[in-house]
Amino acid sequence: MSETVSTTDLIRDLGDGLILRHGSPADAESLSMFNARIHSDDGPDQPEEVVYHWTHDLLARPHPTLSPRDFTVVEEATTGRIVSSCNLIPQTWAYDGIPFGVGRVELVGTLPEYRKRGLIRAQFEVLHRWSAERGHLAQAITGIGYFYRQFGYEMPLNLSGTRRGSPPYLPRLKPDETEPVNFRDASEADFPFLAGLYDHACRRSPVCCVKDEGFWRYELTGRTPKNAHFRRWQIIERPDGEPVGYLAYPDSLWGTGMFGTSYELVPGASWLDVTPAVIRRLWTVGQQIAERDSTPEKPRKLEEVGFGLGGEHPAYQAA
């Protein structure tokens, strides 16, 4: 066993010079870079910045349900080099309004030279045991669907869905028109409004994730802007200041597009009236982000705008 790993951190000796242990805040830099390299679409020589910050936030900043010890880390016993890792994010979901515990497995990765040695299976056994000990009724994972069937996972729910459009389809204001709504950044004072509107929107689906005040605080203040899951939450208001909805979008383009990832309106508000303004808002923000992030070596250009709101959503029909 590595001299730097305490007996309370060690989960088990895997043999062949490898140990499996709990994660810790001290892993923030090394594990973040490990995940940024492993999960980069452009290869390990071009680390994925948003994955780096996602991992770093989970290890170095307070999270409402996860602690650094909810990471599993496989390392070489003699060198301490990380060769594989996963984590378990405890969540509460609801089916038809009935809450139940779920263990969300994320950031699953192994160095190429250590693959096909059962390291992920060994970690999944630990994560599933932790999940069962916490009373979770299910585990969920986002990733390559058929790959995870070997660990007992099936695909029962839609993960996501998008609708997008290019500039010729943007709804334009007429010369004598003004925007029907305004947008402002959400604050902690908006928690009751956000939570109530989200709970109302959950009625459209039999399955949803339960979001308490701790969740909303984390959504607004817990992530750094370059985190893959960071969202800028805005309140949609009428000109007189009456809130009629919320909108969330990332702080970076998805490829060449800017997408709203959460968008809801209060009962009685017109999707047909508000959605064109939301589309224009996303286009404006996307242009600003493209200009901000462009460099001579890697220019960014906004070419489309849309919504990533799942398979079905009222905004799709309105758009």
Side-chain angles (χ1 to χ4, degrees), residues 44-305:
D45 293 335
Q46 300 183 58
E48 194 71 53
E49 187 178 24
V50 294
V51 176
Y52 173 93
H53 288 282
W54 177 18
T55 307
H56 202 277
D57 284 353
L58 290 174
L59 287 162
R61 297 169 67 94
H63 187 279
T65 63
L66 172 140
S67 79
R69 287 180 62 82
D70 291 323
F71 278 81
T72 54
V73 177
V74 177
E75 67 178 32
E76 295 173 339
T78 55
T79 67
R81 183 171 73 130
I82 297 172
V83 303
S84 185
S85 181
C86 310
N87 68 33
L88 180 75
I89 304 174
Q91 294 184 325
T92 300
W93 292 12
Y95 180 81
D96 201 21
I98 301 172
F100 62 97
V102 174
R104 177 179 167 187
V105 181
E106 273 296 352
L107 290 168
V108 179
T110 301
L111 291 178
E113 62 267 33
Y114 279 92
R115 292 172 186 168
K116 298 185 178 181
R117 294 175 60 171
L119 300 183
I120 297 299
R121 187 174 299 280
Q123 292 173 88
F124 270 43
E125 290 173 356
V126 173
L127 298 180
H128 291 171
R129 186 181 76 243
W130 291 351
S131 199
E133 289 170 353
R134 297 178 188 192
H136 299 160
L137 299 186
Q139 288 81 40
I141 192 166
T142 60
I144 306 169
Y146 287 96
F147 174 81
Y148 291 104
R149 283 188 166 179
Q150 63 185 306
F151 305 113
Y153 289 82
E154 296 290 343
M155 294 187 287
L157 298 171
N158 285 332
L159 172 62
S160 60
T162 61
R163 303 290 190 278
R164 63 191 72 197
S166 54
Y169 296 99
L170 287 174
R172 313 273 181 187
L173 282 174
K174 295 177 181 179
D176 60 342
E177 284 185 317
T178 58
E179 289 290 9
V181 293
N182 300 316
F183 300 85
R184 65 166 175 83
D185 289 337
S187 68
E188 291 192 16
D190 297 304
F191 285 168
F193 177 78
L194 291 166
L197 186 50
Y198 173 81
D199 290 345
H200 176 79
C202 282
R203 299 174 190 176
R204 289 199 300 268
S205 172
V207 180
C208 70
C209 183
V210 177
K211 301 181 179 182
D212 59 13
E213 183 175 317
F215 173 90
W216 287 109
R217 180 170 288 103
Y218 186 73
E219 277 291 304
L220 267 61
T221 65
R223 299 185 180 101
T224 53
K226 292 189 179 298
N227 184 319
H229 293 281
F230 173 86
R231 298 292 182 266
R232 191 167 301 284
W233 287 84
Q234 296 205 311
I235 302 298
I236 306 170
E237 296 180 330
R238 298 196 190 282
D240 63 3
E242 177 190 1
V244 295
Y246 62 67
L247 172 68
Y249 50 83
D251 195 49
S252 60
L253 299 185
W254 290 1
T256 59
M258 169 53 63
F259 289 83
T261 56
S262 292
Y263 167 38
E264 296 298 336
L265 296 179
V266 299
S270 170
W271 292 94
L272 288 172
D273 288 345
V274 178
T275 300
V278 170
I279 294 173
R280 288 189 289 269
R281 174 66 176 173
L282 292 172
W283 182 258
T284 298
V285 169
Q287 288 180 310
Q288 294 169 349
I289 290 175
E291 182 178 356
R292 181 198 68 191
D293 293 346
S294 288
T295 64
E297 299 77 20
K298 193 173 183 180
R300 303 301 304 272
K301 183 180 179 181
L302 180 68
E303 297 180 349
E304 59 185 2
V305 66

